[in-house]
Amino acid sequence: MARVALVTGGTRGIGAAVSQALQSAGYLVAATYAGNTEAAKAFASRTSISSYQWDIGDFDACAAGVRTIEASLGPIDILVNNAGIVRDSTLHKMTRPQWDAVIRINLDGVFNMCRQVIDGMRARRYGRIINISSINGQKGQFGQTNYSAAKAGELGFTKALALETARLGITVNAICPGYIHTEMLDAVPQDVLERSILPHIPVGRLGRPEEIARAVVFLAAEEAGFITGSTLSINGGQYMI
Ligand code: CAA
């Protein structure tokens, strides 16, 4: 029986590449999305991966969504917490809603999702949790106090949960992508991208979603059982830690 993998924000950007790579690796994949139904439908018809709509910032919606997926596909053995948003602003202009939205989706969402699958993983003594954090949680980023805080929080969460689950066959790891060519980058002004970001990427280009997906497949494997609590940086050499 194929193991079931759930990818949040799995119908677009990095998440879509992750969903497809896991499918190609033989997993039965479910992808969640928040609101872009058109993109989700196009993704589902292109890949035949089933997609489910709910707000990962809503704990009860996560509980109901996970129940639905497990009832139709089986227990979730692999959880990829990929969904994320940006609301960039320097702190002196940041509004409370901009702060709250980013913490709610990017950090609360990780708790909300892990909390739904952890009991089953513990009972089955198997699980793979992969959190998609960010280079900006590692190094900080001008204009992203909210996002950097959430993404750094995700790294602490990863290590703490890795400790709690290490003896139970469950691994918990983080991937920190650098600047990847996705729609999320549309929020960055072109001049900022050209002046302040691209020149700092030693590889000399943006990353590709498939380059993150490849690492997720690596960490999701049964053979990756000795890798836990780790942070894998995939950023073209932009930040070495
Ligand atoms: N470093 C230093 N100074 C910077 C800067 C930087 N990176 N970016 C802007 N500034 C300077 C500007 O040159 C300007 O200076 P002057 O006033 O002397 O001209 C000043 O800061 C502007 O400050 P403001 O508070 O007025 O900022 P703003 O309203 O113009 O907007 C911003 C600033 C929202 C941060 C905008 O620059 C921006 O969107 N930057 C991109 C942030 C970014 O990298 N986001 C990543 C999104 S992708 C992602 O997050 C995925 C991932 O995981 C990697």
Side-chain angles (χ1 to χ4, degrees), residues 200-211:
H200 298 290
I201 305 176
V203 167
R205 62 169 174 84
L206 296 173
R208 292 186 279 271
E210 295 73 23
E211 291 172 310

Side-chain angles (χ1 to χ4, degrees), residues 4-15:
V4 176
L6 172 58
V7 184
T8 66
T11 63
R12 292 193 295 142
I14 291 174

Side-chain angles (χ1 to χ4, degrees), residues 86 88-90 92-93 133-136 141-144 147 177-179 184-185 187-189 192 195-197:
V86 288
D88 291 354
S89 167
T90 43
H92 66 280
K93 295 181 185 170
S133 176
S134 166
I135 184 175
N136 293 342
Q141 169 60 38
F142 190 104
Q144 287 198 311
Y147 187 86
Y179 284 76
M184 189 179 260
L185 272 193
V188 177
V192 173
R195 210 184 48 244
S196 322
I197 296 171

Side-chain angles (χ1 to χ4, degrees), residues 44-241:
S45 66
R46 199 170 67 240
T47 62
S48 78
I49 292 172
S50 20
S51 58
Y52 300 81
Q53 182 179 14
W54 78 77
D55 170 9
I56 60 152
D58 177 338
F59 186 83
D60 294 333
C62 291
V66 166
R67 268 199 308 274
T68 304
I69 291 171
E70 292 198 322
S72 61
L73 303 184
I76 294 164
D77 281 334
I78 294 108
L79 169 64
V80 184
N81 285 307
N82 163 77
I85 61 169
V86 288
R87 295 287 183 271
D88 291 354
S89 167
T90 43
L91 186 73
H92 66 280
K93 295 181 185 170
M94 189 176 287
T95 62
R96 183 72 208 206
Q98 285 177 315
W99 171 265
D100 287 340
V102 169
I103 300 298
R104 180 175 179 277
I105 300 300
N106 298 10
L107 187 56
D108 292 352
V110 173
F111 168 78
N112 291 346
M113 289 304 301
C114 287
R115 189 65 190 84
Q116 311 310 328
V117 299
I118 199 70
D119 289 344
M121 288 181 177
R122 289 174 67 95
R124 295 188 301 279
R125 299 209 150 229
Y126 188 84
R128 298 281 179 263
I129 296 175
I130 299 154
N131 294 323
I132 307 299
S133 176
S134 166
I135 184 175
N136 293 342
Q138 295 173 297
K139 73 167 186 57
Q141 169 60 38
F142 190 104
Q144 287 198 311
T145 48
N146 50 3
Y147 187 86
S148 297
K151 293 298 183 178
E154 217 175 319
L155 296 180
F157 179 101
T158 298
K159 293 171 193 174
L161 185 58
L163 287 173
E164 291 182 14
T165 58
R167 287 181 177 273
L168 300 171
I170 303 165
T171 66
V172 190
N173 291 289
I175 293 175
C176 286
Y179 284 76
I180 309 298
H181 195 192
T182 66
E183 282 171 49
M184 189 179 260
L185 272 193
D186 293 348
V188 177
Q190 192 61 24
D191 64 312
V192 173
L193 190 63
E194 279 165 19
R195 210 184 48 244
S196 322
I197 296 171
L198 281 169
H200 298 290
I201 305 176
V203 167
R205 62 169 174 84
L206 296 173
R208 292 186 279 271
E210 295 73 23
E211 291 172 310
I212 306 303
R214 188 165 185 274
V216 172
V217 172
F218 170 73
L219 291 170
E222 278 188 33
E223 296 82 353
F226 202 57
I227 308 173
T228 196
S230 74
T231 302
L232 180 52
S233 300
I234 308 179
N235 60 34
Q238 188 181 353
Y239 188 66
M240 302 185 189
I241 188 170

